[in-house]
Amino acid sequence: MIGKRLKLARAASGLSLRDLADRIGNRVSAQQIGKYERDEDVPGSGVLIALSHALGVSVDYLVGDQEMVLEGVEFRKKQITSKKEQAQIQAKALHLIERYLMVEEILGLPSAEWDKPREAPFPVRQIGDADRAAQYLREHWNLGIDPIPNLVELLEERGIKVLVVDSEENIDGLAAQVRRSRGEPVPVIVIRRGVHGERQRFNLAHELGHMVMDVQGDDKFREKAAHRFAGAFLMPAEALWSNVGRHRSSIGWSELFALKQLLGASVQAITYRCGDLGIFPPALSQRLVREFSRLEYRSAPNYEPNQLPEEKAGRFDRLCYRALAEGAISEPKTAELLKITVRELNRRMEEPAPAALQ
């Protein structure tokens, strides 16, 4: 029965029943599509093909039997209040993660095991506990105190699926786990494409904090603790003491922006972290925050200059190319998984990337 998958694909596309009926030229009514979604009826082959084309998914996807459920959803949101918007984001996440797991299964690869510390979730009763949670996790993953060059790749190596999605919604991130009919639950973090790298990195670390901490308190304290965890995970105290010092009464813009490039964090996050550690006295932190506001660094679309490149989630693409090269999937199937045309797939396979030519 295709009901759940049809409804999920429609939600991911942001279409109403009437919109979908229009997309297929009203071959069947909106009411009839509703019956398909409730498994009260089954579409004929012609309608099934039309629905797959309209939703940008394959017929195989619609008739598949893998059932997935998104659990423990933690939205980091600002303006999302609509249930429809939330459902669309969650549907996108499920749709993407299923494609990801499908390729792993085709290649006979087990999903990378979630390298979660045995002590996690770390109890957080006061804000300083978030610092300790970040420190424990870095120690468990043997990260030392060096900056993390690619946070997406690190998380995927540790068994967390990272999805970077196109979204116009005002959402920073989503943390959840995907329960499936076969296999262990899969932790997943979703972030938005088109956001500068320093903000993406902070959002990823923030969602990671939600995954590994057990915060006792209201929503405001939970968010504060996740913020604190993100700062501590990206910028360990020892790294800041080494590069900034233990006590500073002033700091220049050139030094702040040099630290941004070194640490992979915004100058605002660096300022707050230095304030948390007592490196910056309250007067200096407050003066800098006032300057950030005056320069409109704290609000989009301006934000702050010298933006870092976006984080890239590359493992899924690499697995798709590998499956194609090994003859495990066809060119049309690879193109479908990558959401590109067969022509674009051939171009990517045959031509070097522009950067490689430089």
Side-chain angles (χ1 to χ4, degrees):
M1 304 297 276
I2 73 167
K4 288 183 178 179
R5 284 172 172 257
L6 177 58
K7 186 173 183 179
L8 182 65
R10 180 174 64 81
S13 299
L15 299 175
S16 67
L17 289 169
R18 187 178 299 278
D19 291 336
L20 182 52
D22 290 341
R23 283 269 186 103
I24 64 171
N26 291 299
R27 297 183 61 159
V28 295
S29 66
Q31 291 80 4
Q32 184 63 35
I33 295 174
K35 289 184 178 181
Y36 298 153
E37 291 187 356
R38 295 189 297 274
D39 287 325
E40 295 173 359
D41 201 352
V42 178
S45 59
V47 173
L48 185 61
I49 292 170
L51 289 169
S52 72
H53 288 165
L55 294 170
V57 298
S58 67
V59 171
D60 288 344
Y61 170 80
L62 290 177
V63 300
D65 63 355
Q66 173 75 291
E67 182 176 340
M68 295 186 176
V69 179
L70 207 62
E71 297 181 323
V73 179
E74 291 280 358
F75 272 108
R76 184 174 174 218
K77 58 190 177 181
K78 293 182 179 178
Q79 300 299 327
I80 290 187
T81 56
S82 164
K83 294 293 186 181
K84 179 180 177 181
E85 289 178 317
Q86 293 189 19
Q88 185 175 356
I89 291 293
Q90 293 185 47
K92 283 182 179 180
L94 282 171
H95 187 51
L96 288 168
I97 199 69
E98 182 167 36
R99 288 161 49 213
Y100 205 138
L101 296 174
M102 180 191 303
V103 176
E104 289 183 331
E105 187 173 324
I106 288 171
L107 288 170
L109 299 174
S111 289
E113 185 177 352
W114 169 207
D115 189 7
K116 181 179 179 180
R118 185 173 55 186
E119 300 86 356
F122 302 108
V124 175
R125 304 296 180 266
Q126 52 190 9
I127 199 63
D129 294 338
D131 290 72
R132 284 184 283 276
Q135 180 182 350
Y136 292 150
L137 185 59
R138 286 191 71 111
E139 289 175 354
H140 179 75
W141 286 352
N142 297 314
L143 299 179
I145 65 170
D146 294 332
I148 300 168
N150 189 319
L151 187 51
V152 167
E153 290 287 345
L154 171 68
L155 296 179
E156 295 216 314
E157 288 171 3
R158 301 297 175 171
I160 299 173
K161 297 291 188 288
V162 178
L163 307 176
V164 185
V165 302
D166 294 310
S167 173
E168 296 179 358
E169 291 86 359
N170 193 10
I171 176 174
D172 286 321
L174 175 155
Q177 68 173 8
V178 175
R179 178 172 54 81
R180 46 186 169 160
S181 56
R182 302 186 296 273
E184 294 296 316
V186 178
V188 57
I189 293 176
V190 181
I191 59 171
R192 183 159 44 114
R193 184 176 285 110
V195 177
H196 46 82
E198 59 268 35
R199 182 170 175 181
Q200 284 183 327
R201 287 166 60 83
F202 194 88
N203 291 342
L204 285 165
H206 179 105
E207 302 305 335
L208 178 62
H210 280 304
M211 283 186 170
V212 300
M213 294 190 299
D214 176 20
V215 183
Q216 297 298 309
D218 57 18
D219 289 345
K220 184 177 180 180
F221 182 70
R222 284 167 54 82
E223 287 299 293
K224 184 177 180 180
H227 270 58
R228 185 69 170 256
F229 174 94
F233 187 74
L234 293 173
M235 297 171 280
E238 293 86 349
L240 285 172
W241 291 334
S242 173
N243 290 285
V244 184
R246 288 182 177 267
H247 301 287
R248 294 287 296 270
S249 59
S250 66
I251 191 168
W253 289 108
S254 294
E255 185 179 357
L256 271 176
F257 280 101
L259 288 168
K260 173 177 181 171
Q261 298 298 319
L262 174 66
L263 300 171
S266 69
V267 295
Q268 297 171 81
I270 293 168
T271 297
Y272 283 114
R273 180 67 176 146
C274 286
D276 291 339
L277 293 172
I279 296 172
F280 290 174
L284 176 57
S285 294
Q286 292 165 12
R287 180 173 64 79
L288 288 170
V289 169
R290 287 196 298 270
E291 281 296 293
F292 297 150
S293 296
R294 184 183 69 80
L295 294 168
E296 298 186 336
Y297 285 3
R298 306 184 72 191
S299 58
N302 299 316
Y303 206 65
E304 59 187 55
N306 299 351
Q307 295 177 3
L308 302 179
E310 290 187 41
E311 290 273 319
K312 303 295 184 183
R315 183 172 181 266
F316 172 73
D317 288 11
R318 292 196 299 272
L319 291 181
C320 288
Y321 293 132
R322 173 181 166 184
L324 175 63
E326 293 181 2
I329 56 177
S330 65
E331 286 188 353
K333 184 64 176 179
T334 307
E336 176 195 335
L337 290 169
L338 292 172
K339 293 293 184 181
I340 59 176
T341 64
V342 172
R343 182 177 180 179
E344 172 63 15
L345 173 65
N346 287 327
R347 187 194 67 76
R348 293 185 185 183
M349 297 293 290
E350 295 171 3
E351 298 178 11
L357 298 174
Q358 298 175 357

